[in-house]
Amino acid sequence: MEYPYILCDVFTETPFDGNPLAVITAADTMTGQKMQAVAREFGFSESVFIGSPSGDGRWPVRIFTPAAEVPFAGHPSLGAAFVLATQGALGPLGDLREVILSEAAGEVRVTFTRAAKGLTMELRAPEPLSLGDGFDVEDVAGMLSLPAMAVCAATHAPLGASVGLPFLLVELADLTTLAAARVDMEALRALHAEGAPPDVCCYVPQGPDVLRVRVFAPLDGVTEDPATGSAGCALAALLAHLDHRTSGDYA
């Protein structure tokens, strides 16, 4: 049986930039085993499979890395919503429209807005922030092939956090150490055995509202993710949780 698919680049306006994604539509009859094989063949950080909508307009979506199915991911959710919108599956968009994707982690709501430069989208994660355990700075630094002093623990210790897909969130000292980070697979497996999430998000603050981020997910078959919404959502939620200012206090 043949299945239609579209290749798109998310988080960019430039072809072959951003994060590549395979969007497979009309995937109702495809088994999970077949989806995994197709995702492995494409080899992107994720591939997304869309089924037919339910009676209440929710679209079933499954997301696979080359090695595993994941319950939620940002760029596949946005890419799936974009393909549905631009192929006319959602009908006329008008100025504002929402689509609900049913993913393993829950409902992912994507809102479309028509702007002068085109269609923009905003995603709502399927879960509120949940925090996991903290982990030893030296162990995490060693897993990233960095000295212990490269890991910052003043704001938070390295810890697990999730809004639908868990990540080990790690603040690093500067851009040099961020660029130098390399995952030691044996050390990552050891941390994972102790309860750490398998996917690692490292970041460096670059201003009041700017972060430089790298995400590693080799246990899920992704050496490094070019750009990630699920880690960005978890990281933003954690930093907002730790910031005790009210909304009116922000510049």
Side-chain angles (χ1 to χ4, degrees), residues 71-72 105 125 127-132 159-169 197 230 233-235 237-238:
F72 162 63
E127 298 176 1
L129 174 68
S130 59
L131 300 178
L159 83 168
S162 175
V163 292
L165 180 65
F167 288 87
L168 176 61
L169 301 183
S230 50
C233 288
L235 177 55
L238 171 66

Side-chain angles (χ1 to χ4, degrees), residues 38-64:
V38 170
R40 184 168 56 249
E41 181 74 10
F42 276 117
F44 297 146
S45 56
E46 281 118 355
S47 297
V48 61
F49 300 81
I50 307 174
S52 299
S54 60
D56 57 6
R58 287 164 169 78
W59 292 79
V61 165
R62 296 180 69 177
I63 302 168
F64 288 78

